[in-house]
Amino acid sequence: MLKKHALDPIKLIWLFAGSLIINTGVSFIWPLTTIYIHNYLHETLTVAGIVLFINSAFTMVGNAVGGLLFDKWHPYQTLLTGVSISTLSTFLLVLFHGWPAYPILLITLGLGNGIVVTGLNSIATLIQSRNASYVFNVLYFTQNLGLVFGSLMVGFILPFGITYIFLLAFIMFAFLSIVIFFEYRGLNQAHASTNKKTTTAAHQEKIPYGAKRAIFSILICVLAAWIAYEQWNSNISSYMLGLHMSVRLYSLLWTLNAILIVLIQPLLTYFDDWLTAHLHGRLYIGFSLFGLAFLLLIGATHYFNFVLAMAVLTCGEILAFPAVSTFVNDRASNKDKGKYQGIVQSVTSAGRALGPLIGALVIDNFSYLTLFVVCTVLVLISVLLFAIINAYNKKKRLFCKSC
């Protein structure tokens, strides 16, 4: 049942617009990092990897800080703080993008973005006019749509100079600052109202042990999945080039990924009520597909194998990733919803930071074949652990909406 829109702290359209804007802005900078550091600033690939690792680490810090501030301080001021850091960072990048200014500003940008992204996900927990699962699904859609827009625009603008890329990113973050300043003002009041209800029934707001265990197990799945996912962003490109496939063919895989997400995600949103009622099954299937996609790469020598693997991976991604936020939200207490959304984003950032490093270590000491097996086993074992813990909760009658 839909409730009155007046109960929402902000209009949904502005929440989705915020997600679209920030992800478009991020996609102007993130995909170019390795190329810019190595080809423009003439630093080694190892240095580029270290910069990306530190950026992910600070994004993780921003995720955690954003969730805590959202719950314990003021949501509106938290988002303004995060977007101000990001806007200032991109403005300075327009003026100073040499070494070491670029990596330093990239790190502060990661911190600001971490705060904002967690804040946007936390707002979804305050929406009353729609189910949280619907909001998380659309947020995931706008996130990927922003990445598509940004990546396409970079290809047209980069020939004019890297400065224009940073300028465009600054404009996007400045626009987001204006949107948040004017349209997100109702957040504090809505959050205060939720906290008041929570304080009135504080004894009912403690998260049961079974729920904490379930959240922990799904976070293990998220970490394993992102460690595996990052192989596509890093090591698989080298593997394809070693098979004499072009960079263009590799980039087309991401075009396929984006097209599938843009086409399929709205369909899943349409069936949101059914998928929410079968949330566990959606997570089991999604993460299992995610792991099995790497089996298709074992012995792969033809481009079709990579296309099929990417298609299976994307289907798993669409099913699993948006559902994680819903699963955690359903089990978190009202006073800690922002905190737990921050933890989800932090674990995602941790997986993105660790993935390339773990993959490189496995390849250097063993082989690509071993890497694909490790990714499959890692994800499927995490899914098995998640299933066992939920079965145990159900057997012990610890399973309920908040367990």
Side-chain angles (χ1 to χ4, degrees):
M1 290 294 291
L2 301 183
K3 301 178 182 179
K4 293 182 178 179
H5 290 262
L7 295 176
D8 291 343
I10 66 172
K11 292 181 179 179
L12 270 179
I13 186 65
W14 290 116
L15 174 60
F16 300 146
S19 175
L20 181 63
I21 294 167
I22 189 173
N23 283 289
T24 303
V26 168
S27 65
F28 290 142
I29 296 175
W30 178 261
L32 291 175
T33 301
T34 300
I35 296 173
Y36 184 65
I37 291 177
H38 184 58
N39 294 5
Y40 287 73
L41 300 181
H42 308 295
E43 299 292 335
T44 66
L45 288 174
T46 301
V47 170
I50 292 172
V51 171
L52 286 172
F53 180 85
I54 298 175
N55 173 267
S56 294
F58 271 79
T59 302
M60 185 168 57
V61 171
N63 295 143
V65 170
L68 288 173
L69 291 179
F70 192 96
D71 288 330
K72 307 301 182 185
W73 189 41
H74 306 296
Y76 179 61
Q77 283 85 339
T78 297
L79 280 160
L80 280 179
T81 300
V83 76
S84 297
I85 294 172
S86 297
T87 304
L88 179 60
S89 297
T90 50
F91 174 72
L92 291 175
L93 275 173
V94 176
L95 304 175
F96 311 103
H97 43 263
W99 189 270
Y102 177 76
I104 293 172
L105 293 173
L106 194 69
I107 289 167
T108 60
L109 179 62
L111 178 67
N113 287 346
I115 294 173
V116 176
V117 169
T118 294
L120 293 176
N121 269 39
S122 299
I123 291 172
T125 68
L126 301 176
I127 298 297
Q128 300 294 315
S129 63
R130 291 278 192 172
N131 292 331
S133 56
Y134 171 87
V135 182
F136 286 126
N137 282 337
V138 179
L139 281 176
Y140 191 75
F141 173 75
T142 54
Q143 170 189 332
N144 285 281
L145 192 61
L147 295 177
V148 172
F149 284 159
S151 300
L152 287 175
M153 292 175 71
V154 164
F156 290 105
I157 296 169
L158 186 58
F160 295 100
I162 195 72
T163 302
Y164 291 98
I165 297 292
F166 297 137
L167 178 61
L168 197 55
F170 164 69
I171 292 171
M172 296 302 295
F173 282 107
F175 182 47
L176 179 61
S177 299
I178 295 171
V179 170
I180 290 176
F181 183 80
F182 287 105
E183 298 296 336
Y184 286 46
R185 292 175 180 268
L187 283 177
N188 288 350
Q189 183 178 355
H191 190 255
S193 176
T194 300
N195 278 347
K196 186 176 180 180
K197 294 176 183 177
T198 300
T199 303
T200 304
H203 64 284
Q204 298 177 4
E205 290 297 328
K206 292 183 178 179
I207 304 178
Y209 180 69
K212 288 184 177 179
R213 190 162 43 198
I215 290 174
F216 176 77
S217 65
I218 196 63
L219 291 176
I220 295 296
C221 288
V222 173
L223 181 64
W226 272 103
I227 288 173
Y229 199 173
E230 280 304 301
Q231 307 313 314
W232 283 91
N233 285 321
S234 54
N235 298 306
I236 288 178
S237 59
S238 299
Y239 182 63
M240 291 179 65
L241 291 175
L243 294 173
H244 307 292
M245 297 181 192
S246 66
V247 174
R248 179 175 176 273
L249 287 177
Y250 170 71
S251 65
L252 283 175
L253 291 176
W254 290 109
T255 303
L256 171 65
N257 174 268
I259 290 173
L260 288 175
I261 290 174
V262 171
L263 290 178
I264 299 175
Q265 190 66 46
L267 183 64
L268 296 187
T269 303
Y270 181 79
F271 292 102
D272 177 65
D273 289 340
W274 187 88
L275 289 169
T276 302
H278 300 83
L279 187 61
H280 284 80
R282 175 179 179 178
L283 288 165
Y284 294 147
I285 295 172
F287 280 116
S288 296
L289 286 174
F290 207 96
L292 292 172
F294 287 89
L295 284 180
L296 298 173
L297 296 177
I298 296 176
T301 56
H302 299 289
Y303 186 63
F304 176 75
N305 298 111
F306 293 91
V307 171
L308 183 59
M310 175 58 86
V312 173
L313 182 90
T314 304
C315 290
E317 172 188 353
I318 295 170
L319 283 170
F321 284 171
V324 169
S325 294
T326 302
F327 183 87
V328 172
N329 178 65
D330 286 349
R331 285 148 185 82
S333 64
N334 287 333
K335 65 179 181 180
D336 287 326
K337 287 186 180 294
K339 169 187 171 184
Y340 278 96
Q341 291 302 320
I343 291 174
V344 171
Q345 297 302 320
S346 294
V347 171
T348 297
S349 297
R352 296 182 70 170
L354 293 172
L357 178 61
I358 292 174
L361 288 172
V362 172
I363 294 167
D364 287 342
N365 290 282
F366 300 98
S367 64
Y368 281 101
L369 172 63
T370 304
L371 175 65
F372 301 147
V373 173
V374 167
C375 288
T376 301
V377 172
L378 188 65
V379 175
L380 293 184
I381 286 179
S382 71
V383 175
L384 181 62
L385 175 65
F386 175 57
I388 290 172
I389 287 178
N390 280 288
Y392 177 81
N393 283 346
K394 187 173 183 179
K395 181 179 179 180
K396 295 295 182 179
R397 298 186 177 179
L398 295 173
F399 185 84
C400 59
K401 185 182 179 183
S402 60
C403 293

mmCIF file of all heavy atoms in Angstrom, residues 114-141:
data_model
loop_
_atom_site.group_PDB
_atom_site.id
_atom_site.type_symbol
_atom_site.label_atom_id
_atom_site.label_comp_id
_atom_site.label_asym_id
_atom_site.label_seq_id
_atom_site.Cartn_x
_atom_site.Cartn_y
_atom_site.Cartn_z
ATOM 1 N N GLY A 114 31.726 9.351 -0.443
ATOM 2 C CA GLY A 114 31.308 8.297 0.480
ATOM 3 C C GLY A 114 30.219 8.770 1.418
ATOM 4 O O GLY A 114 29.243 8.056 1.682
ATOM 5 N N ILE A 115 30.356 9.995 1.922
ATOM 6 C CA ILE A 115 29.352 10.569 2.824
ATOM 7 C C ILE A 115 28.023 10.750 2.102
ATOM 8 O O ILE A 115 26.955 10.391 2.622
ATOM 9 C CB ILE A 115 29.849 11.916 3.383
ATOM 10 C CG1 ILE A 115 31.063 11.696 4.292
ATOM 11 C CG2 ILE A 115 28.726 12.620 4.160
ATOM 12 C CD1 ILE A 115 31.727 12.986 4.754
ATOM 13 N N VAL A 116 28.086 11.287 0.875
ATOM 14 C CA VAL A 116 26.853 11.588 0.136
ATOM 15 C C VAL A 116 26.119 10.311 -0.276
ATOM 16 O O VAL A 116 24.893 10.204 -0.107
ATOM 17 C CB VAL A 116 27.149 12.452 -1.103
ATOM 18 C CG1 VAL A 116 25.867 12.680 -1.910
ATOM 19 C CG2 VAL A 116 27.742 13.792 -0.691
ATOM 20 N N VAL A 117 26.844 9.337 -0.801
ATOM 21 C CA VAL A 117 26.211 8.098 -1.272
ATOM 22 C C VAL A 117 25.511 7.380 -0.112
ATOM 23 O O VAL A 117 24.377 6.909 -0.253
ATOM 24 C CB VAL A 117 27.257 7.175 -1.935
ATOM 25 C CG1 VAL A 117 26.663 5.787 -2.183
ATOM 26 C CG2 VAL A 117 27.734 7.778 -3.249
ATOM 27 N N THR A 118 26.182 7.308 1.034
ATOM 28 C CA THR A 118 25.541 6.687 2.195
ATOM 29 C C THR A 118 24.325 7.491 2.638
ATOM 30 O O THR A 118 23.294 6.919 3.016
ATOM 31 C CB THR A 118 26.544 6.583 3.363
ATOM 32 O OG1 THR A 118 27.579 5.680 3.001
ATOM 33 C CG2 THR A 118 25.870 6.060 4.619
ATOM 34 N N GLY A 119 24.446 8.817 2.574
ATOM 35 C CA GLY A 119 23.302 9.666 2.941
ATOM 36 C C GLY A 119 22.100 9.428 2.051
ATOM 37 O O GLY A 119 20.963 9.334 2.541
ATOM 38 N N LEU A 120 22.322 9.298 0.745
ATOM 39 C CA LEU A 120 21.218 9.052 -0.180
ATOM 40 C C LEU A 120 20.552 7.705 0.101
ATOM 41 O O LEU A 120 19.325 7.588 0.073
ATOM 42 C CB LEU A 120 21.726 9.090 -1.625
ATOM 43 C CG LEU A 120 22.222 10.451 -2.134
ATOM 44 C CD1 LEU A 120 22.795 10.329 -3.540
ATOM 45 C CD2 LEU A 120 21.103 11.484 -2.114
ATOM 46 N N ASN A 121 21.358 6.665 0.360
ATOM 47 C CA ASN A 121 20.790 5.359 0.693
ATOM 48 C C ASN A 121 20.036 5.395 2.024
ATOM 49 O O ASN A 121 19.025 4.713 2.191
ATOM 50 C CB ASN A 121 21.900 4.305 0.753
ATOM 51 C CG ASN A 121 22.111 3.623 -0.588
ATOM 52 O OD1 ASN A 121 22.044 4.278 -1.615
ATOM 53 N ND2 ASN A 121 22.368 2.328 -0.582
ATOM 54 N N SER A 122 20.532 6.202 2.965
ATOM 55 C CA SER A 122 19.877 6.310 4.262
ATOM 56 C C SER A 122 18.536 7.033 4.152
ATOM 57 O O SER A 122 17.595 6.725 4.887
ATOM 58 C CB SER A 122 20.788 7.052 5.254
ATOM 59 O OG SER A 122 22.003 6.351 5.448
ATOM 60 N N ILE A 123 18.442 7.986 3.230
ATOM 61 C CA ILE A 123 17.165 8.681 3.009
ATOM 62 C C ILE A 123 16.093 7.686 2.574
ATOM 63 O O ILE A 123 14.916 7.818 2.937
ATOM 64 C CB ILE A 123 17.331 9.789 1.947
ATOM 65 C CG1 ILE A 123 18.203 10.918 2.503
ATOM 66 C CG2 ILE A 123 15.957 10.351 1.540
ATOM 67 C CD1 ILE A 123 18.576 11.958 1.457
ATOM 68 N N ALA A 124 16.514 6.677 1.801
ATOM 69 C CA ALA A 124 15.552 5.667 1.332
ATOM 70 C C ALA A 124 14.841 4.991 2.508
ATOM 71 O O ALA A 124 13.698 4.549 2.380
ATOM 72 C CB ALA A 124 16.270 4.624 0.479
ATOM 73 N N THR A 125 15.500 4.904 3.649
ATOM 74 C CA THR A 125 14.886 4.265 4.821
ATOM 75 C C THR A 125 13.827 5.147 5.460
ATOM 76 O O THR A 125 13.042 4.672 6.294
ATOM 77 C CB THR A 125 15.962 3.928 5.882
ATOM 78 O OG1 THR A 125 16.490 5.148 6.438
ATOM 79 C CG2 THR A 125 17.104 3.127 5.267
ATOM 80 N N LEU A 126 13.782 6.447 5.097
ATOM 81 C CA LEU A 126 12.800 7.376 5.668
ATOM 82 C C LEU A 126 11.592 7.575 4.763
ATOM 83 O O LEU A 126 10.615 8.210 5.164
ATOM 84 C CB LEU A 126 13.452 8.742 5.936
ATOM 85 C CG LEU A 126 14.649 8.764 6.898
ATOM 86 C CD1 LEU A 126 15.223 10.177 6.975
ATOM 87 C CD2 LEU A 126 14.232 8.285 8.275
ATOM 88 N N ILE A 127 11.659 7.059 3.531
ATOM 89 C CA ILE A 127 10.561 7.231 2.574
ATOM 90 C C ILE A 127 9.354 6.413 3.017
ATOM 91 O O ILE A 127 9.463 5.243 3.373
ATOM 92 C CB ILE A 127 11.003 6.807 1.156
ATOM 93 C CG1 ILE A 127 12.150 7.697 0.665
ATOM 94 C CG2 ILE A 127 9.835 6.843 0.186
ATOM 95 C CD1 ILE A 127 11.797 9.157 0.516
ATOM 96 N N GLN A 128 8.173 7.044 3.000
ATOM 97 C CA GLN A 128 6.948 6.386 3.439
ATOM 98 C C GLN A 128 5.987 6.058 2.301
ATOM 99 O O GLN A 128 5.141 5.181 2.435
ATOM 100 C CB GLN A 128 6.208 7.307 4.438
ATOM 101 C CG GLN A 128 7.011 7.645 5.680
ATOM 102 C CD GLN A 128 7.278 6.433 6.541
ATOM 103 O OE1 GLN A 128 6.386 5.630 6.796
ATOM 104 N NE2 GLN A 128 8.525 6.274 6.976
ATOM 105 N N SER A 129 6.122 6.765 1.167
ATOM 106 C CA SER A 129 5.145 6.597 0.079
ATOM 107 C C SER A 129 5.407 5.335 -0.750
ATOM 108 O O SER A 129 4.537 4.903 -1.494
ATOM 109 C CB SER A 129 5.177 7.823 -0.835
ATOM 110 O OG SER A 129 6.443 7.953 -1.458
ATOM 111 N N ARG A 130 6.587 4.774 -0.615
ATOM 112 C CA ARG A 130 6.945 3.566 -1.363
ATOM 113 C C ARG A 130 7.677 2.600 -0.454
ATOM 114 O O ARG A 130 8.284 2.999 0.546
ATOM 115 C CB ARG A 130 7.863 3.918 -2.539
ATOM 116 C CG ARG A 130 7.194 4.708 -3.636
ATOM 117 C CD ARG A 130 6.419 3.788 -4.557
ATOM 118 N NE ARG A 130 5.984 4.454 -5.765
ATOM 119 C CZ ARG A 130 5.431 3.846 -6.801
ATOM 120 N NH1 ARG A 130 5.258 2.531 -6.771
ATOM 121 N NH2 ARG A 130 5.047 4.512 -7.864
ATOM 122 N N ASN A 131 7.646 1.312 -0.822
ATOM 123 C CA ASN A 131 8.436 0.335 -0.090
ATOM 124 C C ASN A 131 9.920 0.663 -0.252
ATOM 125 O O ASN A 131 10.350 1.132 -1.302
ATOM 126 C CB ASN A 131 8.183 -1.079 -0.629
ATOM 127 C CG ASN A 131 6.781 -1.564 -0.332
ATOM 128 O OD1 ASN A 131 6.175 -1.158 0.657
ATOM 129 N ND2 ASN A 131 6.258 -2.421 -1.192
ATOM 130 N N ALA A 132 10.687 0.379 0.792
ATOM 131 C CA ALA A 132 12.127 0.644 0.733
ATOM 132 C C ALA A 132 12.781 -0.109 -0.421
ATOM 133 O O ALA A 132 13.693 0.399 -1.077
ATOM 134 C CB ALA A 132 12.778 0.263 2.058
ATOM 135 N N SER A 133 12.291 -1.313 -0.694
ATOM 136 C CA SER A 133 12.878 -2.121 -1.775
ATOM 137 C C SER A 133 12.724 -1.425 -3.123
ATOM 138 O O SER A 133 13.633 -1.460 -3.967
ATOM 139 C CB SER A 133 12.218 -3.504 -1.822
ATOM 140 O OG SER A 133 10.818 -3.385 -1.966
ATOM 141 N N TYR A 134 11.572 -0.793 -3.347
ATOM 142 C CA TYR A 134 11.345 -0.051 -4.592
ATOM 143 C C TYR A 134 12.345 1.090 -4.712
ATOM 144 O O TYR A 134 12.948 1.299 -5.775
ATOM 145 C CB TYR A 134 9.917 0.497 -4.613
ATOM 146 C CG TYR A 134 9.650 1.466 -5.751
ATOM 147 C CD1 TYR A 134 9.248 1.011 -7.006
ATOM 148 C CD2 TYR A 134 9.815 2.843 -5.571
ATOM 149 C CE1 TYR A 134 9.014 1.901 -8.048
ATOM 150 C CE2 TYR A 134 9.589 3.734 -6.608
ATOM 151 C CZ TYR A 134 9.197 3.261 -7.841
ATOM 152 O OH TYR A 134 8.975 4.140 -8.872
ATOM 153 N N VAL A 135 12.531 1.832 -3.623
ATOM 154 C CA VAL A 135 13.442 2.980 -3.641
ATOM 155 C C VAL A 135 14.873 2.527 -3.903
ATOM 156 O O VAL A 135 15.593 3.124 -4.704
ATOM 157 C CB VAL A 135 13.358 3.759 -2.313
ATOM 158 C CG1 VAL A 135 14.275 4.983 -2.355
ATOM 159 C CG2 VAL A 135 11.929 4.202 -2.037
ATOM 160 N N PHE A 136 15.297 1.448 -3.245
ATOM 161 C CA PHE A 136 16.657 0.942 -3.455
ATOM 162 C C PHE A 136 16.852 0.459 -4.893
ATOM 163 O O PHE A 136 17.925 0.645 -5.477
ATOM 164 C CB PHE A 136 16.964 -0.189 -2.477
ATOM 165 C CG PHE A 136 17.191 0.268 -1.069
ATOM 166 C CD1 PHE A 136 16.470 -0.282 -0.018
ATOM 167 C CD2 PHE A 136 18.117 1.258 -0.777
ATOM 168 C CE1 PHE A 136 16.679 0.134 1.291
ATOM 169 C CE2 PHE A 136 18.339 1.684 0.524
ATOM 170 C CZ PHE A 136 17.613 1.123 1.559
ATOM 171 N N ASN A 137 15.830 -0.159 -5.474
ATOM 172 C CA ASN A 137 15.914 -0.609 -6.864
ATOM 173 C C ASN A 137 16.115 0.565 -7.821
ATOM 174 O O ASN A 137 16.949 0.520 -8.727
ATOM 175 C CB ASN A 137 14.660 -1.383 -7.262
ATOM 176 C CG ASN A 137 14.645 -2.805 -6.734
ATOM 177 O OD1 ASN A 137 15.685 -3.372 -6.440
ATOM 178 N ND2 ASN A 137 13.470 -3.376 -6.602
ATOM 179 N N VAL A 138 15.326 1.623 -7.612
ATOM 180 C CA VAL A 138 15.431 2.786 -8.499
ATOM 181 C C VAL A 138 16.761 3.509 -8.276
ATOM 182 O O VAL A 138 17.372 4.005 -9.227
ATOM 183 C CB VAL A 138 14.243 3.752 -8.295
ATOM 184 C CG1 VAL A 138 14.375 4.966 -9.213
ATOM 185 C CG2 VAL A 138 12.923 3.039 -8.573
ATOM 186 N N LEU A 139 17.228 3.570 -7.035
ATOM 187 C CA LEU A 139 18.531 4.176 -6.761
ATOM 188 C C LEU A 139 19.637 3.426 -7.493
ATOM 189 O O LEU A 139 20.569 4.034 -8.025
ATOM 190 C CB LEU A 139 18.815 4.182 -5.251
ATOM 191 C CG LEU A 139 18.137 5.275 -4.422
ATOM 192 C CD1 LEU A 139 18.433 5.073 -2.943
ATOM 193 C CD2 LEU A 139 18.584 6.668 -4.860
ATOM 194 N N TYR A 140 19.520 2.102 -7.516
ATOM 195 C CA TYR A 140 20.518 1.308 -8.235
ATOM 196 C C TYR A 140 20.455 1.588 -9.733
ATOM 197 O O TYR A 140 21.486 1.667 -10.405
ATOM 198 C CB TYR A 140 20.287 -0.179 -7.963
ATOM 199 C CG TYR A 140 21.415 -1.055 -8.446
ATOM 200 C CD1 TYR A 140 22.622 -1.116 -7.749
ATOM 201 C CD2 TYR A 140 21.302 -1.799 -9.611
ATOM 202 C CE1 TYR A 140 23.663 -1.904 -8.195
ATOM 203 C CE2 TYR A 140 22.346 -2.591 -10.064
ATOM 204 C CZ TYR A 140 23.529 -2.638 -9.345
ATOM 205 O OH TYR A 140 24.566 -3.405 -9.797
ATOM 206 N N PHE A 141 19.240 1.766 -10.243
ATOM 207 C CA PHE A 141 19.049 2.084 -11.660
ATOM 208 C C PHE A 141 19.666 3.443 -11.999
ATOM 209 O O PHE A 141 20.404 3.581 -12.982
ATOM 210 C CB PHE A 141 17.561 2.073 -11.986
ATOM 211 C CG PHE A 141 17.239 2.542 -13.383
ATOM 212 C CD1 PHE A 141 17.473 1.725 -14.472
ATOM 213 C CD2 PHE A 141 16.720 3.812 -13.595
ATOM 214 C CE1 PHE A 141 17.186 2.156 -15.762
ATOM 215 C CE2 PHE A 141 16.430 4.244 -14.877
ATOM 216 C CZ PHE A 141 16.662 3.423 -15.960
#
